[in-house]
Amino acid sequence: MTVLRFTKHYETPGKVASAARHHAWLAEHARPLRLPVLTVVGPTSLTYEWIDGRPARPEDLLTLAGLLGDAHGAAWTSDLRPAALNTPHRFQDGTVFSDYLGPRQTALRRRLEQGYLPDWVALQAMLALLEKTAEGQTAFYKDSNPRNFIITEAGDVYTVDTDDLTLAPMAYDLAKLIATLILTYGPLPTESVNASLQAYNEAAGRHDARLGATDRERLDDFLALHAVLTAPYAGRNGYRHSGAPHPCPGGSA
């Protein structure tokens, strides 16, 4: 019997080590997430078990929102309770787990240089919005775009791609999933977005009531940030539709 594997290649050994470290952290602290087994760590590659399935679609949003809320609640309970959004956390081996503000401040300034923000005033507005959202309990962000979920024929959900892992506010990664579903498939109904936020809050709140407090205004702030941060990827990676800070009322999936 042939056992299928998937090998991902990296530019440097440091990036290999980082992705492997992220995989191990998620496996320990975000146990609601099902991850492919990491079988081989090479000098410039990682090899995982092969998972046969499809990427996430809009009809999966409610399920995935609950999964993310559960995973973020579990990680907060296990490791992130004392973490602050403006301060790097640390893995057990002492390496840095990036904070929320620093990488995104850098990325927003880069978006101005790239022409995705019209002027310095727009940049300052986005930086102020970022600062506004840097409050509350701490979750993790791992880039929850549709391609980073594999859904099997049996309905099992696997989470893949552990390259990017930073601290983030609760529901920030849910907003990334919503934003990239819009980029991939087009506008989502407002009712679907609201239901996904409710599912997320209920799942996170089962771990601690404070974790299930994200309201729609705060989610929209996250969506506005993601609209700018994902702008360079329009037309790539299946992002065929134009993104918007807010889902369109009455839109169809």
Side-chain angles (χ1 to χ4, degrees), residues 3 10-11 29 33 45 51 55 76 87-88 92 102 116 118 121 125 127 140 154 161 168 191 198 233 242:
V3 179
Y10 295 83
E11 295 177 0
H29 299 292
L33 298 182
S45 67
I51 305 298
W76 182 86
T87 305
Q92 289 182 348
Y116 296 108
V121 174
L127 290 172
F140 63 87
D161 189 351
E191 306 79 48
Q198 181 178 350
Y233 306 104
S242 60

Side-chain angles (χ1 to χ4, degrees), residues 5-6 36-41 46-49:
R5 298 283 186 262
F6 170 75
V37 175
L38 176 57
T39 59
V40 180
V41 178
L46 295 175
T47 299
Y48 301 89
E49 66 171 325

Side-chain angles (χ1 to χ4, degrees), residues 167-245:
L167 301 178
M170 301 297 296
Y172 179 82
D173 217 356
L174 172 64
K176 177 59 179 287
L177 175 60
I178 293 168
T180 51
L181 282 171
I182 292 171
L183 287 169
T184 305
Y185 297 101
L188 299 175
T190 298
E191 306 79 48
S192 296
V193 175
N194 290 342
S196 72
L197 179 58
Q198 181 178 350
Y200 177 93
N201 280 332
E202 289 177 354
R206 285 193 288 270
H207 295 270
D208 187 286
R210 291 172 291 176
L211 307 182
T214 303
D215 61 20
R216 183 54 199 267
E217 180 181 355
R218 186 164 169 82
L219 182 71
D220 285 345
D221 287 344
F222 294 149
L223 289 169
L225 287 166
H226 284 303
V228 175
L229 292 169
T230 60
Y233 306 104
R236 298 165 49 192
N237 301 323
Y239 295 161
R240 300 182 298 273
H241 298 266
S242 60

Side-chain angles (χ1 to χ4, degrees), residues 50-55 149-153:
W50 173 265
I51 305 298
D52 191 19
R54 61 169 176 81
F149 294 100
I150 298 177
I151 301 174
T152 70
E153 188 174 353

